[in-house]
């Protein structure tokens, strides 16, 4: 940050003493107007003649007064004796962040970040709900999206970010934060007739074991300040001219921190056979399935046979209070680790956050030395400064011990770019919610297929998501019901398969039982060949809440998928991205009767060429997939 200030000062600049300052993006469309008044600082944002934000206040510890500015290209820097505010106008982003002058952290009693939209636009609002032990800022970052005008927001409720606002001319504005380092995450609440205002969790002073199954650390006392810090994260308003642009946006990376690892060659993405969603429900075996060594040998064998890189041993292998003492005697890691290694399968262990921070250095080294591949750390359910600091410490310790991390009860904040050993995050209403999904006479209470085609535009914008797809029991809207031990999904089999291509998840789960996958080997074989990281991503088509069409390349192969909500849909998919020549296409699509039986699918092989346009039909809650190989 200090280097950036020096660079700006050394380059030719325009010194601004007047109250207004304008920053314009390289393509001339995104425009920020900063009003540096005597006692406060505000910004306005417009895009291609569309007014996005009316004057919205920026403040820290009460005010940002008497600021003077310098402009260079699409960036500007304003400062006074205490603070500097950096603004950036990219073609798709208006952003700012505040930095404390000098090296010493200051106590941030409050920060003002307003987003006052020019009109009463419709919005996609992820409200905070299901608070842990009723504590306002303790929350798993899992929300469906309420679709309502900004004026109808619930004044007493918080929302998380990203939050989307539908602008005129088909545009979208998305409010989010980025590069959250040593600072609490940003919640949003209603401000004025059609605006948003940031709220931040105060610094916690006292905590108790509480929350879900007493797995959380819940603050019982918080300070009258939010952080002691040297800068804020980026405050961002992204604007797109059509929805599909969000499907392959690099905003989070562009505004994220630099990688802190000198060697990332050991980081191995991959797919995972997962136990918890299917309740370790195995059939046709001669042992009692459950949390025991025989069961996990079976998962390892399944993973090895189907070329999956990992298994997870979820909650139940360790004690409630320790990762090394009073472990489950039915699970023998000294047997499972070499058994898995011989079959080229890694083992990832589950842990609660409060257990992982008791003896992080000793415990992580212990399990790394044993040969464990990583940890799934769960039940953070907070993003105040204490938790943010803790996550950076955990990530650093894990990296030094060559351990992967999958973080649950948390959302991506940019840390995954500093520590790419963090290979996934939850913070999503994933497949687990189908286990207990309520319904009424009209069907399931919550519309998962619609949610499934919202999150690629919003939740995936900030980083990977551990949705945990792969249900083999698939149901139409009329047939679906929640069942904890024998769960099913809303929507078709091809819809589930499409998640493996559509969703960004370097560590991607196969959530259902190995027994079911082996009975559905054709589906399993299709999923198993899909990579979890790609070389190129193209957003082909889509509208948030309605459908997605995306193409991803790995080497010379292209992987294409489409998903829809409960509305059946006909699409035209242009194959211009293919290289010249003929390609073999392996297609996995909704069957002709998928609208009546959601497990119905059709796998077919055909030859395609660059520039072909395929006509594709999606059943209600349906999907479509294609893998191409040059011939």
């Amino acid at each position: 940050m200090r280097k950036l200030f020096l660079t700006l000062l050394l380059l030719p600049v325009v010194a601004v003493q007047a109250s207004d300052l304008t920053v314009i993006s390289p393509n001339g469309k995104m425009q920020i107007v900063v009003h540096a008044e005597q006692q406060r600082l505000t910004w306005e944002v417009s895009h291609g003649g569309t007014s996005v934000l009316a004057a919205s206040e920026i403040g820290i510890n009460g005010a940002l007064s008497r600021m003077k500015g310098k402009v260079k290209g699409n960036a500007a820097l304003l400062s006074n004796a205490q603070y500097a505010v950096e603004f950036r106008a990219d073609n798709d982003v208006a952003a700012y962040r505040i930095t404390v002058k000098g090296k010493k952290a200051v106590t941030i009693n409050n920060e003002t970040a307003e987003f006052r939209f020019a009109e009463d636009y419709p919005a996609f609002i992820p409200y905070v709900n299901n608070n842990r032990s009723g504590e306002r800022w303790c929350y798993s970052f899992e929300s469906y999206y309420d679709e309502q005008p900004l004026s109808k927001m619930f004044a007493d409720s918080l929302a998380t970010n990203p939050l989307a606002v539908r602008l005129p001319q088909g545009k979208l504005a998305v409010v989010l934060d980025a590069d959250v380092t040593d600072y609490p995450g940003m919640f949003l609440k209603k401000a004025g007739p059609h605006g948003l205002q940031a709220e931040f969790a105060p610094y916690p002073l006292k905590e108790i074991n509480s929350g879900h199954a007493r797995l959380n650390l819940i603050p019982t006392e918080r300070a009258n300040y939010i952080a002691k810090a040297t800068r804020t994260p980026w405050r961002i308003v992204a604007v797109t001219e059509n929805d599909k642009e969000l499907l392959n946006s690099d905003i989070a990376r562009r505004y994220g921190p630099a990688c802190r690892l000198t060697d990332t060659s050991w980081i191995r993405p991959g797919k995972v056979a997962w136990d918890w969603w299917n309740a370790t429900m195995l059939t046709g075996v001669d042992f009692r399935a459950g949390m025991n060594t025989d069961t996990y040998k079976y998962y390892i064998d399944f993973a090895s046979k189907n070329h999956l890189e990992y298994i997870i041993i979820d909650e139940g292998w360790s004690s409630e209070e320790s990762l090394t003492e009073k472990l489950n005697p039915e699970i023998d890691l000294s047997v499972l680790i070499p058994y898995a290694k011989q079959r080229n399968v890694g083992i990832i262990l589950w842990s609660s956050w409060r257990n992982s921070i008791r003896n992080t250095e000793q415990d992580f080294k212990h399990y790394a030395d044993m040969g464990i591949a990583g940890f799934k750390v769960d039940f953070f359910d907070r993003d105040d400064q204490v938790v943010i600091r803790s996550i950076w410490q955990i990530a650093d310790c894990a990296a030094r011990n060559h351990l992967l991390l999958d973080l649950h009860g948390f959302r991506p904040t940019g840390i995954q770019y500093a520590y790419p050993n963090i290979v996934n995050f939850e913070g999503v209403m994933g497949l687990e919610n189908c286990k207990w999904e309520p319904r009424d006479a009209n069907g399931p209470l919550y519309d998962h297929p619609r949610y499934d085609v919202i999150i690629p535009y919003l939740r995936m914008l900030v980083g990977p998501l551990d949705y945990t797809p792969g249900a083999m029991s698939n149901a139409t809207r009329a047939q679906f019901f929640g069942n904890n031990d024998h769960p099913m999904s809303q929507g078709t089999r091809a819809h589930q398969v499409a998640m493996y291509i559509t969703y960004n998840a370097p560590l991607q789960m196969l959530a259902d039982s190995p027994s079911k996958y082996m009975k559905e080997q054709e589906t399993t074989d299709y999923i198993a060949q899909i990579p979890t990281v790609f070389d190129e991503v193209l957003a082909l088509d889509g509208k948030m809440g309605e459908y997605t069409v995306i193409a991803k390349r790995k080497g010379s192969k292209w992987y294409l998928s489409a998903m829809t909500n409960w509305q059946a849909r006909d699409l035209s998919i242009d194959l211009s991205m293919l290289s010249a020549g003929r390609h073999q296409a392996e297609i996995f699509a909704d069957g002709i009767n998928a609208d009546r039986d959601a497990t119905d699918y059709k796998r077919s092989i055909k030859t395609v060429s660059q520039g072909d346009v395929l006509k594709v039909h999606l059943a209600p809650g349906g999907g479509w997939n294609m893998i191409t190989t040059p011939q």
Side-chain angles (χ1 to χ4, degrees):
M1 190 64 192
R2 290 179 63 83
K3 288 181 180 178
L4 176 59
F5 293 163
L6 291 171
T7 300
L8 286 170
L9 289 169
L10 291 171
L11 289 168
V13 296
V14 178
V16 178
Q17 303 294 333
S19 60
D20 290 352
L21 178 153
T22 300
V23 186
I24 300 175
S25 65
N27 68 0
K29 290 187 176 183
M30 188 73 77
Q31 180 172 290
I32 301 172
V33 178
V34 180
H35 303 285
E37 302 170 14
Q38 281 291 92
Q39 298 302 318
R40 70 176 195 150
L41 187 69
T42 63
W43 71 325
E44 295 180 38
V45 177
S46 62
H47 180 274
T50 303
S51 179
V52 181
L53 295 186
S56 302
E57 187 168 357
I58 299 167
I60 195 166
N61 285 347
L64 286 174
S65 60
R66 304 179 188 279
M67 304 208 74
K68 297 180 180 180
K70 297 177 180 179
V71 181
K72 176 61 180 178
N74 66 322
L77 187 67
L78 283 79
S79 63
N80 60 19
Q82 294 176 289
Y83 303 105
V85 185
E86 178 187 359
F87 290 88
R88 277 173 54 178
D90 291 345
N91 293 340
D92 58 346
V93 164
Y96 74 86
R97 67 177 172 189
I98 305 168
T99 299
V100 176
K101 285 192 169 181
K103 297 181 179 180
K104 187 177 180 180
V106 301
T107 300
I108 311 296
N109 296 314
N110 57 74
E111 180 195 340
T112 301
E114 292 183 341
F115 308 90
R116 295 187 178 272
F117 284 87
E119 301 290 341
D120 187 18
Y121 299 131
F124 291 75
I125 304 170
Y127 284 111
V128 171
N129 52 52
N130 193 24
N131 299 76
R132 304 304 192 193
S133 298
E135 213 271 350
R136 180 172 174 82
W137 299 280
C138 284
Y139 163 65
S140 64
F141 305 96
E142 301 174 18
S143 300
Y144 294 108
Y145 293 88
D146 282 43
E147 299 173 42
Q148 58 189 170
L150 288 165
S151 62
K152 300 298 183 183
M153 279 188 71
F154 305 126
D156 60 348
S157 298
L158 294 177
T160 188
N161 78 84
L163 184 155
V165 176
R166 179 71 69 186
L167 302 175
Q169 300 172 318
K171 297 179 182 180
L172 270 174
V174 182
V175 178
L176 65 149
D177 58 2
D179 193 6
V180 182
T181 306
D182 199 25
Y183 203 91
M186 181 176 71
F187 293 99
L188 297 165
K189 61 184 179 182
K190 185 177 182 179
H194 34 73
L196 304 167
Q197 182 173 325
E199 182 173 313
F200 306 91
Y203 192 91
L205 298 175
K206 295 180 181 179
E207 301 167 327
I208 61 170
N209 291 355
S210 189
H212 175 74
R214 294 179 57 80
L215 288 168
N216 293 104
L217 284 175
I218 303 295
T220 56
E221 183 180 343
R222 290 186 180 269
N224 59 1
Y225 61 89
I226 61 174
K228 293 184 179 181
T230 58
R231 75 176 188 189
T232 71
W234 286 103
R235 310 294 175 220
I236 291 175
V237 178
V239 180
T240 63
E241 299 194 56
N242 55 72
D243 294 16
K244 75 175 184 179
E245 293 173 11
L246 293 175
L247 293 175
N248 65 340
S249 172
D250 67 344
I251 290 171
R253 180 178 293 278
R254 208 186 318 155
Y255 285 82
C259 183
R260 296 192 179 186
L261 306 185
T262 57
D263 176 21
T264 60
S265 62
W266 58 272
I267 298 173
R268 182 191 183 204
K271 292 184 285 295
V272 187
W274 183 42
D275 57 351
W276 183 86
W277 192 76
N278 57 76
T280 59
M281 195 68 68
L282 303 177
T283 58
V285 297
D286 57 3
F287 56 86
R288 183 69 172 175
M291 297 294 292
N292 57 57
T293 301
D294 284 340
T295 295
Y296 289 105
K297 280 186 173 182
Y298 193 88
Y299 276 78
I300 291 166
D301 288 339
F302 165 74
S304 178
K305 177 183 177 182
N306 291 282
H307 310 291
L308 311 181
E309 289 80 0
Y310 301 99
I311 71 160
I312 280 184
I313 303 178
D314 214 283
E315 182 183 2
W317 70 273
S318 65
S319 70
E320 293 182 358
E321 303 299 331
S322 173
L323 295 181
T324 55
E325 298 177 357
K326 298 181 180 178
L327 304 183
N328 184 344
E330 298 298 314
I331 297 175
D332 191 340
L333 292 177
S334 68
V335 170
L336 289 173
I337 292 170
Y339 188 86
K341 185 177 181 180
Q342 291 168 3
R343 290 155 180 80
N344 200 32
V345 175
I347 296 176
I348 295 171
L349 299 176
W350 179 94
S351 171
S352 67
W353 168 58
R354 69 178 181 85
N355 264 2
S356 70
I357 61 175
R358 290 180 184 274
N359 298 288
T360 310
E361 292 287 342
Q362 300 93 317
D363 290 352
F364 278 20
K365 185 178 187 306
H366 170 75
Y367 285 106
D369 289 346
M370 286 184 67
I372 288 299
F375 279 91
K376 171 183 172 181
V377 185
D378 205 346
F379 291 98
F380 289 95
D381 296 347
R382 290 161 46 192
D383 67 351
D384 51 49
Q385 190 178 31
V386 166
V387 173
I388 295 294
R389 284 177 172 172
S390 173
I391 287 174
W392 282 76
Q393 292 164 357
I394 290 170
D396 181 71
C397 182
R400 284 186 277 108
N401 287 281
H402 286 195
L403 293 170
L404 303 179
L405 290 174
D406 178 11
L407 305 183
H408 276 223
F410 194 68
R411 64 184 179 90
T413 58
I415 188 175
Q416 67 270 24
Y417 303 118
Y419 290 99
N421 58 308
I422 302 177
V423 284
N424 219 341
F425 299 81
E426 194 184 30
V428 64
M429 296 293 284
L431 196 68
E432 67 174 353
N433 292 276
C434 291
K435 288 167 72 76
W436 47 76
E437 181 70 50
R439 66 169 291 140
D440 58 24
N442 297 316
L445 188 61
Y446 296 106
D447 186 339
H448 250 268
R450 184 169 182 82
Y451 178 79
D452 296 342
V453 291
I454 294 175
I455 54 176
Y457 300 92
L458 290 184
R459 167 58 185 80
M460 204 167 76
L461 179 65
V462 293
L465 65 168
D466 199 6
Y467 186 99
T468 68
M472 293 295 101
S473 296
N474 317 108
T476 65
R477 186 177 179 86
Q479 295 163 344
F480 175 87
F481 62 93
N483 187 311
N484 187 73
D485 290 340
H486 296 277
M488 63 185 72
S489 69
Q490 294 185 36
T492 69
R493 173 74 58 80
H495 184 93
Q496 286 288 301
V497 172
M499 293 177 180
Y500 288 90
I501 299 173
T502 303
Y503 293 164
N504 173 17
L507 190 72
Q508 181 64 283
M509 307 293 155
L510 275 72
D512 220 325
S513 165
S515 299
K516 289 187 178 180
Y517 285 124
M518 287 188 290
K519 292 175 182 176
E520 299 286 349
Q521 194 63 47
E522 187 173 59
T523 301
T524 305
D525 289 344
Y526 198 91
I527 292 171
Q529 66 180 308
I530 299 171
T532 64
V533 293
F534 297 86
D535 300 322
E536 183 179 359
V537 178
L538 297 178
L540 300 183
D541 197 4
K543 186 172 183 181
M544 188 161 63
E546 297 189 17
Y547 68 102
T548 62
V549 186
I550 199 165
K552 298 182 178 182
R553 180 181 60 81
K554 182 73 170 180
S556 62
K557 291 189 174 185
W558 280 96
Y559 302 78
L560 288 79
S561 68
M563 298 167 62
T564 185
N565 55 16
W566 281 124
Q567 180 180 328
R569 200 174 301 273
D570 292 297
L571 300 172
S572 296
I573 299 180
D574 188 337
L575 302 186
S576 298
M577 80 292 295
L578 298 182
S579 59
R582 295 157 64 88
H583 298 254
Q584 177 180 286
E586 183 180 358
I587 297 171
F588 193 106
D590 291 326
I592 195 170
N593 294 304
D595 60 329
R596 300 169 60 194
D597 181 346
T599 65
D600 186 35
Y601 72 89
K602 181 179 181 180
R603 177 184 170 275
S604 59
I605 304 291
K606 66 183 299 183
T607 300
V608 297
S609 300
Q610 183 187 66
D612 286 353
V613 177
L614 301 184
K615 300 298 183 182
V616 170
H617 177 74
L618 303 181
W624 174 89
N625 308 270
M626 184 171 76
I627 301 172
T628 69
T629 304
Q631 292 184 328

